[in-house]
Amino acid sequence: MPPTLPPTGRIEAEPDAIDVRWLATALLLIDMQRDFLEPGGFGETLGNDVSRLQTAVAPCAAMLAAARAVGLTIIHTREGHLPDLSDAPPAKVARGAPQLRIGDPGPMGRILIRGEAGHDIVPELYPAAGEIVIDKPGKGAFYATPLGTVLAQRGIDTLLVGGVTTEVCVNTTVREANDRGFRCIVLADCCASYFPQFHDAGLQMIKAQGGIFGWVSSSFAALAALAPARPTGA
Ligand code: C5J
């Protein structure tokens, strides 16, 4: 980490501003995958307008650039399953009436299967060498993954969270993280949903009751807190 990074910072957030130790803080970007954001993937097979998720890409890219510039721990997650579907609960595969089910061949390869083009992260947010990528079979990033161990090994206590979708994988992961003692600061503009009302409600649920699951902030507030540490132009 560059020596310019001050040990602590304060991020404006709701329900109140929060002090962070940067060395104990990670940027966690959840499931910014082609399968959710691009036509022909899992999200669209469920009948969703995937263009709604585009709003999160530029704010996530800004956070990623800033985190890289100051050497913050960066973690990406990807929802998906093994090619033999042995980690996909039948109840998940069979649910609903999608045009294509998990594992079926689609225009970006088999739907929500690890190693397929659709499973990969969108080019704008592609992980750089050395960044942690967690493959997860569930909606929560802690279930059946090494995420908890990875965070403990690095002494992380606070997560700056972005990703899709706000009410599904972001909310599930934040709840899991909260129960494990992590402080989650959800960056509202770095998250998106196919349903604007669920995005809003998902954020409300996190910050209500004095921050029952965590804090809600924005990329602007996080970038402002990081500004003293960032090299000019980063
Ligand atoms: C969904 C996710 N929505 N990443 N996954 O199925 O939110």
Side-chain angles (χ1 to χ4, degrees):
M1 183 168 294
T4 51
L5 189 60
T8 60
R10 168 165 283 220
I11 301 177
E12 292 304 323
E14 293 179 286
D16 38 41
I18 174 169
D19 293 319
V20 299
R21 294 180 298 127
W22 292 120
L23 275 172
T25 302
L27 175 65
L28 178 64
L29 295 183
I30 296 176
D31 300 359
M32 295 298 285
Q33 296 163 256
R34 299 182 67 195
D35 252 322
F36 295 107
L37 284 110
E38 294 187 12
F42 181 62
E44 193 177 71
T45 71
L46 296 173
N48 296 308
D49 173 3
V50 295
S51 69
R52 289 189 184 275
L53 303 193
Q54 282 299 319
T55 57
V57 173
C60 283
M63 284 305 304
L64 207 44
R68 285 173 179 158
V70 301
L72 218 57
T73 295
I74 296 170
I75 303 172
H76 307 258
T77 72
R78 299 184 296 202
E79 179 180 348
H81 297 285
L82 297 169
D84 66 2
L85 296 182
S86 57
D87 61 351
K92 178 178 180 183
V93 178
R95 192 159 313 155
Q99 297 150 5
L100 295 173
R101 292 196 186 277
I102 295 170
D104 285 348
M108 292 191 286
R110 294 178 66 201
I111 299 292
L112 218 58
I113 297 297
R114 294 184 192 176
E116 302 287 347
H119 179 260
D120 220 340
I121 291 174
V122 295
E124 301 93 319
L125 305 174
Y126 209 78
E131 291 173 8
I132 299 159
V133 179
I134 300 283
D135 281 318
K136 63 190 189 59
K139 304 304 183 195
F142 287 85
Y143 168 66
T145 76
L147 180 58
T149 305
V150 166
L151 296 174
Q153 282 168 345
R154 290 171 177 257
I156 301 294
D157 64 20
T158 301
L159 300 170
L160 297 174
V161 185
V164 297
T165 60
T166 315
E167 77 281 13
V168 183
C169 290
V170 171
N171 245 269
T172 306
T173 298
V174 166
R175 291 168 190 232
E176 287 182 328
N178 179 65
D179 279 352
R180 287 164 174 78
F182 296 99
R183 308 185 311 161
C184 294
I185 306 167
V186 181
L187 307 176
D189 55 332
C190 292
C191 300
S193 170
Y194 304 119
F195 307 91
Q197 68 275 29
F198 291 170
H199 172 78
D200 294 341
L203 297 173
Q204 293 283 350
M205 288 176 193
I206 289 165
K207 68 183 178 185
Q209 304 178 72
I212 194 93
F213 294 124
W215 288 255
V216 175
S217 184
S218 67
S219 64
F220 304 104
L223 293 170
L226 275 168
R230 290 162 66 200
T232 312

